[in-house]
Amino acid sequence: AAAPRKRAKELATSLSSRASMLSSRAAAAPRAVSRLASRLAPAGRRFSTQVADEPAEGVRQHPAMASSLTAIGTRDIFDADHDMFRELARSFFENEVAPFHAEWEAAGEVPRELWTKAGELGLLSNMVPEEYGGLGLDCKYPAIMWEEQSYSGCTGPGFAMHSDIVAPYITNYGTEEQKSRILPKLVSGEWIGALAMTEPGAGSDF
């Protein structure tokens, strides 16, 4: 029992350190960064129930050796910061989406409040640069969102299209006016991104 408690304490310390670091960056992106920072510290208190089996010092465990293929803390392409974000995303889908998914499927839509809640937690369009209200994170963070949504079995929220197709198009090809006007609204969930195209002689290889 001592080893899991030690691991949980280390993770909580790491989460607190990460939250402090994010808070120090809040001057550059006050809304998105501070909101995510405020969520990371309490996430640390839940983390001990989600962690993989105790690995060797400095080595991330392979999923095949963990007690569950979805255990947090495995795969060496991720690091401790990704683990913190995964805990946050998993909690969101377990508590804010899964209990209501059948109801939303019957209605044919999810409530707008779900989008703004995801935005408040820093779960939307998180690769958007900080100067446009995003967190400027790497591409593994949206990959974690894809995985955690698939683990939850909830298909309703169209976060991937919004965050990882629409927002990158605007980030990379939009004018300065478009980026300043649109991207903060996508990050917050106030606006929902969608894609429409006309390809009479082609497929959907946009």
Side-chain angles (χ1 to χ4, degrees):
R5 282 196 298 270
K6 178 183 177 184
R7 176 63 172 159
K9 183 177 180 180
E10 291 172 349
L11 288 166
T13 300
S14 177
L15 285 166
S16 296
S17 174
R18 175 64 172 168
S20 297
M21 186 276 288
L22 285 170
S23 294
S24 71
R25 294 167 58 195
R31 180 174 59 188
V33 175
S34 61
R35 282 172 177 166
L36 181 56
S38 70
R39 298 297 299 182
L40 290 178
R45 294 194 291 271
R46 304 191 302 272
F47 202 85
S48 61
T49 62
Q50 300 284 346
V51 73
D53 296 337
E54 188 73 14
E57 186 68 25
V59 177
R60 293 179 68 82
Q61 197 169 43
H62 190 281
M65 303 301 293
S67 58
S68 168
L69 292 177
T70 61
I72 295 175
T74 64
R75 289 181 286 175
D76 57 13
I77 64 168
F78 298 114
D79 60 26
D81 290 344
H82 295 117
D83 293 343
M84 297 175 219
F85 184 80
R86 185 182 294 279
E87 160 67 11
L88 186 63
R90 183 168 297 182
S91 175
F92 176 79
F93 283 110
E94 288 179 349
N95 297 298
E96 305 293 339
V97 180
F100 315 104
H101 190 250
E103 175 186 339
W104 298 340
E105 287 289 286
E109 61 181 356
V110 301
R112 286 300 306 273
E113 291 78 11
L114 184 72
W115 288 85
T116 53
K117 180 73 176 282
E120 289 173 2
L121 296 177
L123 299 176
L124 298 179
S125 306
N126 42 50
M127 290 194 297
V128 167
E130 293 183 11
E131 59 263 41
Y132 302 113
L135 294 172
L137 301 176
D138 64 58
C139 64
K140 296 174 187 175
Y141 288 85
I144 289 169
M145 280 291 287
W146 307 337
E147 290 184 340
E148 292 303 319
Q149 183 166 356
S150 71
Y151 297 160
S152 74
C154 298
T155 59
F159 295 149
M161 171 65 75
H162 169 97
S163 297
D164 310 315
I165 296 180
V166 176
Y169 264 125
I170 298 169
T171 299
N172 290 289
Y173 302 112
T175 65
E176 186 60 36
E177 186 278 331
Q178 288 171 329
K179 289 188 282 188
S180 298
R181 177 170 54 88
I182 299 172
L183 290 175
K185 299 289 189 180
L186 297 182
V187 171
S188 69
E190 294 175 70
W191 290 2
I192 298 175
L195 181 68
M197 69 186 93
T198 300
E199 293 183 299
S204 58
D205 54 344
F206 55 87

